[in-house]
Amino acid sequence: MLPKYYEFLNSVKIMSGENALENLPHELKMMGAKKPIVLTDAILAKCGTLDKVQKAFKGFDIDVTETYTEIPPDSSIKVINEIAGIFKAKGCDSIIALGGGSVIDTAKGLRIVIEQGGNDIMDYMGLDSLPRKDRIAFAVIPTTSGTGSECTNVAVIANPDKNVKMEFISYDLLPDFAVLDPRMTETMPPKITANTGVDALVHAIEGYTCLQKNPLSQSYAFAAIRLITTFLPKAVLEGGNHEYRLAMSNAATMAGIAFSNSMVGLVHAIGHAVGGVAHVPHGIAMSILLPHVMKFNLETLKPAYAELLLPLAGAEIYATTPKEERAQKAIEFVTAFIKQFESVGLPTKLSDAKVTEDQFDAIAQTAINDGAIVVNPIMATKEQVIEILKEAF
């Protein structure tokens, strides 16, 4: 059934395939970029991934020597404000984000501060409250296949003083370009490949089922799920295979487009809280919580979960499963799908991720105040969140 009203936007130019990176300099040149700041982390700088990006710009009149490589695992308001000072002092005019979700969210925060002409990201909190200003060129080169941040209007930024993760949502956060090049993800370790891949799966499932779903977002989510269940196990086992890597990059991007236009749900509400209170990495929190939240939502989402059995498990299992059993079968498939990655060190219980029971109250309180909970099909109470945490423990 069509919603009475919905909106859908994705303005990011996606460049996907072998040697996609080499097309980026031309695109930035056409936007007038002369001196971008390249944001990445210390690991990517050390392992040579940053060098590959800088080499792609040889022969172009674009200076990519200004880099910031100390971005932490959780994007931070303090880091964003620090980089904004560097950007202005060095006369930079554009942004290239090379990395995973934290790097990309940091770059999104930086773009807000620079375009709005301010000094502090906290001055721009709110939902689509930013006045339109002259845009600076912004390109993203994801090195993981999970967040989909290269095509989303969302940035999750940590406030370390308050021990919370904040969501910034605005169409102004959408990058201009997303480069999906298998060379950028081929060195991801199996564990990171698994937890980022499951993160993309959560984006797709919640984007397909949340209250703001629409036919366009569901189409992207449906396609992303099939790619993930087909190629994630292969990418974990054969990380150097460019076909598998590119499939997962596309899946993460499509899942990102889906949830960026529909929002997510309770898995993310609790996951953000687990990250903020217990400092569990986002992808790991998603992997642990997904099956338990699906069980919580089951009675309300039976028709939708039944539909998702097809991209999850394939046509044969879908066709041979009685209609009334398909929703439960989908949850069983997801549970087993995630559990297989225990072999590469992916935790499947909160206790394995160093969460303690005495943190449950703070996690639950934070979760029920998270914006993602509003579009979950069931408005969970604090007590219900605690029960989910107990089951996931």
Side-chain angles (χ1 to χ4, degrees):
M1 181 181 296
L2 285 171
K4 291 183 179 179
Y5 176 80
Y6 73 91
E7 296 181 358
F8 185 98
L9 174 67
N10 188 263
S11 57
V12 182
K13 182 170 184 177
I14 299 168
M15 294 175 279
S16 171
E18 296 286 350
N19 302 314
L21 176 62
E22 276 68 26
N23 291 301
L24 181 59
H26 171 75
E27 298 292 347
L28 288 177
K29 181 180 180 181
M30 294 300 290
M31 288 193 70
K34 292 286 189 179
K35 189 175 182 179
I37 187 169
V38 183
L39 307 188
T40 190
D41 60 43
I43 294 174
L44 292 170
K46 186 177 181 179
C47 75
T49 305
L50 174 60
D51 290 340
K52 292 178 183 177
V53 173
Q54 292 174 322
K55 287 177 182 177
F57 280 82
K58 285 190 174 180
F60 288 84
D61 186 23
I62 300 177
D63 179 3
V64 289
T65 58
E66 189 59 49
T67 62
Y68 187 95
T69 63
E70 300 303 318
I71 295 175
D74 285 325
S75 177
S76 162
I77 58 174
K78 294 181 179 179
V79 171
I80 289 169
N81 293 339
E82 178 186 343
I83 301 172
I86 296 171
F87 186 100
K88 295 171 184 177
K90 297 293 185 178
C92 298
D93 61 9
S94 48
I95 303 168
I96 298 174
L98 171 69
S102 179
V103 171
I104 299 170
D105 285 351
T106 299
K108 288 178 176 179
L110 174 64
R111 190 189 208 184
I112 291 174
V113 175
I114 297 301
E115 287 187 346
Q116 297 298 318
N119 298 298
D120 188 352
I121 183 65
M122 294 298 287
D123 292 337
Y124 308 108
M125 291 180 64
L127 175 62
D128 259 330
S129 61
L130 302 178
R132 290 298 176 98
K133 298 289 184 74
D134 291 337
R135 294 173 68 82
I136 60 172
F138 178 23
V140 172
I141 309 167
T143 58
T144 64
S145 301
T147 67
S149 295
E150 63 274 6
C151 284
T152 72
N153 61 355
V154 180
V156 178
I157 298 170
N159 184 336
D161 293 335
K162 294 187 176 181
N163 216 27
V164 296
K165 291 185 176 182
M166 305 174 298
E167 285 185 309
F168 289 73
I169 303 174
S170 172
Y171 286 126
D172 282 350
L173 293 176
L174 287 168
D176 298 298
F177 309 106
V179 179
L180 309 183
D181 190 315
R183 292 172 296 172
M184 299 294 100
T185 58
E186 65 183 357
T187 60
M188 260 199 302
K191 180 181 176 180
I192 296 177
T193 299
N195 80 55
T196 55
V198 175
D199 185 21
L201 181 63
V202 178
H203 292 155
I205 291 175
E206 291 205 300
Y208 191 90
T209 57
C210 74
L211 293 179
Q212 289 187 186
K213 63 184 181 294
N214 62 71
L216 293 178
S217 65
Q218 286 186 310
S219 297
Y220 279 89
F222 197 91
I225 290 169
R226 193 71 198 112
L227 283 174
I228 293 164
T229 55
T230 300
F231 289 102
L232 180 55
K234 296 177 181 179
V236 169
L237 291 175
E238 298 181 48
N241 186 299
H242 282 197
E243 177 190 357
Y244 305 158
R245 289 299 191 186
L246 194 58
M248 283 306 303
S249 292
N250 277 267
T253 295
M254 287 189 288
I257 293 171
F259 89 81
S260 185
N261 285 279
S262 67
M263 286 301 292
V264 277
L266 187 58
V267 182
H268 276 77
I270 303 175
H272 292 155
V274 168
V277 174
H279 307 293
V280 175
H282 181 72
I284 290 175
M286 296 294 97
S287 301
I288 294 168
L289 293 166
L290 177 59
H292 302 285
V293 174
M294 289 183 74
K295 291 175 186 175
F296 175 78
N297 285 332
L298 176 59
E299 290 307 312
T300 300
L301 291 180
K302 270 188 176 179
Y305 286 166
E307 291 170 358
L308 290 182
L309 181 62
L310 178 57
L312 283 167
E316 185 174 344
I317 291 176
Y318 179 84
T320 55
T321 302
K323 185 177 180 180
E324 64 276 8
E325 297 176 13
R326 286 173 181 165
Q328 179 61 40
K329 188 76 170 179
I331 296 175
E332 292 171 1
F333 180 91
V334 166
T335 303
F337 183 79
I338 295 171
K339 193 171 181 60
Q340 71 179 301
F341 302 123
E342 285 181 329
S343 62
V344 294
L346 185 66
T348 55
K349 295 187 292 185
L350 290 174
S351 55
D352 294 336
K354 311 303 181 186
V355 178
T356 58
E357 292 182 85
D358 61 1
Q359 294 174 315
F360 284 3
D361 188 79
I363 292 170
Q365 185 61 49
T366 304
I368 62 173
N369 291 314
D370 189 276
I373 202 170
V374 176
V375 290
N376 193 70
I378 302 173
M379 181 58 74
T381 65
K382 180 178 177 180
E383 292 71 26
Q384 288 172 320
V385 172
I386 289 175
E387 286 303 311
I388 292 170
L389 293 172
K390 287 179 179 178
E391 289 187 13
F393 189 70

